[in-house]
Amino acid sequence: MENVKQFLQGVELDKTALVIGAACAGGAVVAVALGQTIQSHFRSKDKIQRARRRRLESLQRAEQLVQRHRAAHPMMNSALISTLSLSELTKQLKEGLLSPEDVFYTYMEKTLDVHKKLNCCTGILLDSFDQLKGLSSNREGLLYGVPVSIKENTSYKNTDSSCGVVVNLDQPAQEDSVVVQVLKKQGAIPFVKTNLPQGLLNFDCSNPIYGQTANPHNLQKTSGGSSGGEAALIGGGASLLGIGSDIGGSVRIPASFCGICSFKPTCGRISSLGQIPIYRGQKSVLSTVGPMAKDVDSLALCMEALLCDHMFYLDPMVPPIPFNTQIYHSTKPLRIGYLENDGYTQPSPSMARGVREVKVLLEQAGHTLVPYTPVNLPRVATELILKGIFADGITSLLQKLEGGPVDPCLRSQVAVYKIPKWLKKVFSFILKPLCPRTSLIFSGLCGVGCHGQTAKMFSFFLHLIFSSVQDLWKQHAAVEDYIYETIAEWRRCNIDVLLCPVIGPAFNFFYCSKTSHSVSYTMLYNLLNFPAGVVPVSTVTAEDEEELRNYTGVYRDVSDKLFKRAVTGGEGLPVAVQCVALPWQDELCLRFMTEVEQLVQQSKKV
């Protein structure tokens, strides 16, 4: 009996020891995790401070060089230079009527001034001062002597392309992107990198590294995104030509917000080598490089300059199709489809009015306008677009955001992204009868097949993995089917091009992440891989603001209410329209944009 007692006492002691040991181990795990979190925080903070220091040093050095040039050239006519269009400027540069030095320093000086107001630059490319000195040997280039701004995610040797996320800092590019190499070959001078939103997949323009970019027309509004720094710089008159990228409206939305022109070519027409995405491998909603400028002719000149033998040599995956000037300058009457409302997002009053007014001008000019409705957009917006871009259940994007702070402009978006997949499905089910669009969005955010933690936990069930691959293939097949279904609808309507709204006017801060449904007007054409461009046509009127009071939206849900708040207070801001063509008909799309631009300008003179 005594032995039993001793045994039980030993067991009790062992249990106590086990409990203490487990508690100590648990405490150690918590301590280690906390220590790693603190370390990560300080590493992130150091990276951000270094990046900001590099930016500041580049701005200060550029300012010194500008002041030195200004002192040595007091007769430099910056006012005249800044009034010239790109085509006028290139002509005068080639004829020797202007010096590349005066042009370069005029725009560098203007950039430094505009940046102080808008916070649109991530760094001056100090190599550009050296490039300027050796420029005379490249006089035959189509862009000889033209300073060009480039989006931050465009690779430029020895500079970061962070995409606004801390994890990508301190990883300078080993070489220039193909587009930068071609620009230099054509005599252009890339001189500044511009701001973008954290992670790119947002149409605001703010990140924890470089901060928020403001709109040149109203400092209380966003410049848009993701190519928002470009749009702000060009809209502020500090750049004639910029290079952005577009995966859902990223050159078109900021162009609309800032009152400039932009063009999203057919994906594959321009090389994307060296254009850094937030993550690779997503093949449903395609991203492409695109030019941004004050007028359509500048976009066309940029396309002509890029579509050259040098690009075709550097990237053999780009079809060797030079720019077709005959199509661009054609005057043949067009048969134009048009829509005011895509059936998924009710346009703001100014968006719809812009389309109506341009429709009238086009009809008066002899073109035929045909009503058009996008094919089954409410289903496509979530099943193909949202599920396509987040096919992995948002795992890749969230991984990129780890180890750094989440920007305020992205916070509400990320909060939804981080909801566990099973809970998203529950929300989708519960909300279906109450908020059908929100229900579909939650379903779309789950991605395609089995991903993330769920996949890790049950990876031993091989059929789940195979099912995931099968689901992804089915999704890709559905995208292909939808593209051809849409082309068939264009053929049935017998239309050459399409006139439609683009999101606007510029949003109030912190609303872009809450109203992502509104990118239906632009992201559709990334899914379809149709070329599309934006042309400013008007400004918001007091009547538009009054009509906005009665805005209800298509679904009359929270998203519609937030959209109304986002665009409120826009009187005087730019209003734009979007022009679209079929794949590989980029020149036709630009020709249509030119037609719209000229008709609007003529109507203002009357």
Side-chain angles (χ1 to χ4, degrees):
M1 193 66 181
E2 190 65 30
N3 289 339
V4 172
K5 284 182 180 178
Q6 288 177 358
F7 173 75
L8 290 173
Q9 286 173 353
V11 169
E12 288 298 323
L13 287 170
D14 286 347
K15 281 170 68 178
T16 304
L18 281 170
V19 169
I20 293 170
C24 289
V29 169
V30 171
V32 169
L34 184 61
Q36 289 176 339
T37 301
I38 293 170
Q39 277 187 334
S40 175
H41 169 76
F42 281 111
R43 278 197 302 268
S44 168
K45 193 174 179 181
D46 287 344
K47 278 186 166 187
I48 291 171
Q49 286 175 344
R50 284 198 298 272
R52 289 175 179 173
R53 198 179 306 123
R54 285 193 295 268
R55 174 170 74 165
L56 181 60
E57 288 169 357
S58 74
L59 291 164
Q60 290 174 339
R61 179 59 180 155
E63 192 143 19
Q64 291 170 359
L65 293 170
V66 166
Q67 288 172 355
R68 189 183 302 171
H69 183 83
R70 173 66 72 181
H73 301 82
M75 302 302 291
M76 183 173 76
N77 195 344
S78 295
L80 171 65
I81 290 169
S82 58
T83 62
L84 298 174
S85 68
L86 180 60
S87 56
E88 291 168 337
L89 186 77
T90 52
K91 185 173 183 291
Q92 293 201 22
L93 281 166
K94 286 190 176 182
E95 291 175 354
L97 299 174
L98 286 175
S99 73
E101 290 78 13
D102 283 356
V103 171
F104 176 83
Y105 281 100
T106 290
Y107 279 100
M108 184 65 78
E109 184 175 33
K110 184 73 172 171
T111 289
L112 296 171
D113 289 341
V114 168
H115 171 71
K116 289 171 186 175
K117 298 172 188 171
L118 306 180
N119 187 42
C120 51
C121 304
T122 62
I124 300 297
L125 301 173
L126 295 176
D127 285 1
S128 59
F129 291 92
D130 296 325
Q131 188 191 343
L132 178 66
K133 294 172 185 174
L135 195 65
S136 56
S137 61
N138 202 5
R139 208 180 187 95
E140 297 307 309
L142 288 178
L143 297 173
Y144 169 71
V146 176
V148 176
S149 48
I150 59 175
K151 189 176 178 179
E152 194 266 1
N153 69 324
T154 306
S155 293
Y156 191 95
K157 190 175 181 180
N158 297 326
T159 69
D160 284 339
S161 294
S162 73
C163 301
V165 295
V166 176
V167 71
N168 285 351
L169 286 173
D170 298 334
Q171 298 179 42
Q174 299 301 305
E175 62 178 357
D176 294 341
S177 72
V178 166
V179 164
V180 168
Q181 291 181 58
V182 176
L183 287 170
K184 288 181 176 179
K185 184 78 170 177
Q186 290 285 18
I189 309 172
F191 74 108
V192 62
K193 277 195 162 191
T194 55
N195 206 21
L196 36 63
Q198 185 178 27
L200 295 177
L201 301 178
N202 185 288
F203 60 100
D204 205 331
C205 192
S206 180
N207 62 73
I209 306 165
Y210 303 111
Q212 174 79 54
T213 298
N215 191 293
H217 300 277
N218 184 334
L219 298 181
Q220 303 308 309
K221 300 279 187 173
T222 178
S223 61
S226 63
S227 307
E230 278 303 314
L233 193 68
I234 296 166
S239 176
L240 271 176
L241 179 64
I243 298 296
S245 61
D246 191 308
I247 194 174
S250 299
V251 300
R252 289 163 288 159
I253 295 169
S256 167
F257 284 12
C258 295
I260 66 169
C261 299
S262 69
F263 181 60
K264 179 202 83 69
T266 305
C267 183
R269 189 79 194 267
I270 301 293
S271 174
S272 290
L273 273 180
Q275 200 74 25
I276 308 301
I278 188 60
Y279 53 82
R280 297 178 61 196
Q282 187 274 118
K283 300 295 182 184
S284 294
V285 184
L286 302 176
S287 175
T288 181
V289 175
M292 306 172 75
K294 278 285 186 82
D295 56 66
V296 181
D297 218 31
S298 299
L299 302 176
L301 179 58
C302 182
M303 289 294 291
E304 185 178 359
L306 291 175
L307 295 173
C308 65
D309 290 340
H310 192 51
M311 174 172 281
F312 305 145
Y313 170 76
L314 291 173
D315 188 355
M317 293 300 291
V318 174
I321 309 170
F323 190 79
N324 191 322
T325 53
Q326 187 176 353
I327 292 175
Y328 176 61
H329 292 298
S330 168
T331 57
K332 175 188 170 186
L334 297 170
R335 191 172 166 87
I336 303 165
Y338 73 93
L339 65 104
E340 288 182 30
N341 189 328
D342 67 3
Y344 188 72
T345 304
Q346 181 184 335
S348 65
S350 59
M351 286 168 66
R353 178 176 57 81
V355 171
R356 286 196 301 271
E357 290 178 354
V358 171
K359 172 184 174 285
V360 171
L361 293 175
L362 289 165
E363 286 175 328
Q364 291 172 348
H367 301 286
T368 303
L369 277 291
V370 180
Y372 177 83
T373 302
V375 179
N376 202 5
L377 186 57
R379 179 189 68 85
V380 167
T382 50
E383 289 300 307
L384 299 186
I385 295 176
L386 195 59
K387 280 191 177 181
I389 205 163
F390 292 135
D392 66 342
I394 324 177
T395 303
S396 298
L397 176 61
L398 292 176
Q399 284 174 347
K400 282 289 187 178
L401 296 175
E402 288 175 0
V406 175
D407 192 83
C409 88
L410 201 65
R411 209 165 279 156
S412 60
Q413 209 169 326
V414 171
V416 174
Y417 293 166
K418 285 185 174 180
I419 295 171
K421 183 176 176 180
W422 67 267
L423 191 53
K424 288 191 188 103
K425 289 187 173 182
V426 170
F427 286 158
S428 177
F429 177 77
I430 293 171
L431 291 170
K432 194 170 185 178
L434 305 170
C435 304
R437 178 166 58 186
T438 308
S439 168
L440 287 170
I441 288 171
F442 271 113
S443 174
L445 291 174
C446 292
V448 176
C450 184
H451 300 281
Q453 295 302 317
T454 308
K456 291 175 188 174
M457 290 167 59
F458 301 106
S459 59
F460 56 89
F461 291 117
L462 293 180
H463 72 275
L464 285 182
I465 297 174
F466 296 141
S467 173
S468 175
V469 173
Q470 281 185 334
D471 288 341
L472 186 61
W473 286 352
K474 286 177 182 176
Q475 206 268 349
H476 287 167
V479 170
E480 282 183 33
D481 291 344
Y482 182 71
I483 291 170
Y484 284 108
E485 191 179 351
T486 300
I487 291 171
E489 181 64 11
W490 276 50
R491 299 295 190 219
R492 189 189 69 77
C493 295
N494 190 24
I495 56 175
D496 302 307
V497 289
L498 179 67
L499 172 71
C500 58
V502 61
I503 307 171
F507 281 22
N508 295 310
F509 291 128
F510 308 122
Y511 277 93
C512 295
S513 64
K514 302 170 186 174
T515 54
S516 54
H517 68 284
S518 58
V519 298
S520 59
Y521 283 102
T522 49
M523 195 173 273
L524 175 64
Y525 304 109
N526 295 85
L527 179 82
L528 292 168
N529 196 20
F530 285 16
V534 160
V535 183
V537 296
S538 183
T539 55
V540 180
T541 64
E543 290 76 17
D544 292 328
E545 282 289 290
E546 185 62 33
E547 190 179 337
L548 183 62
R549 291 172 180 271
N550 301 318
Y551 182 94
T552 57
V554 174
Y555 289 84
R556 304 188 177 208
D557 56 11
V558 173
S559 295
D560 285 327
K561 290 174 184 175
L562 288 168
F563 179 81
K564 179 180 177 179
R565 290 180 206 161
V567 298
T568 297
E571 187 173 351
L573 289 176
V575 173
V577 295
Q578 185 172 205
C579 303
V580 186
L582 290 173
W584 305 104
Q585 295 187 9
D586 303 80
E587 292 87 347
L588 178 62
C589 187
L590 285 162
R591 178 255 152 125
F592 178 34
M593 291 169 66
T594 302
E595 185 89 3
V596 169
E597 181 182 56
Q598 290 175 350
L599 289 172
V600 169
Q601 288 172 354
Q602 289 167 11
S603 70
K604 289 177 180 178
K605 292 176 183 177
V606 177

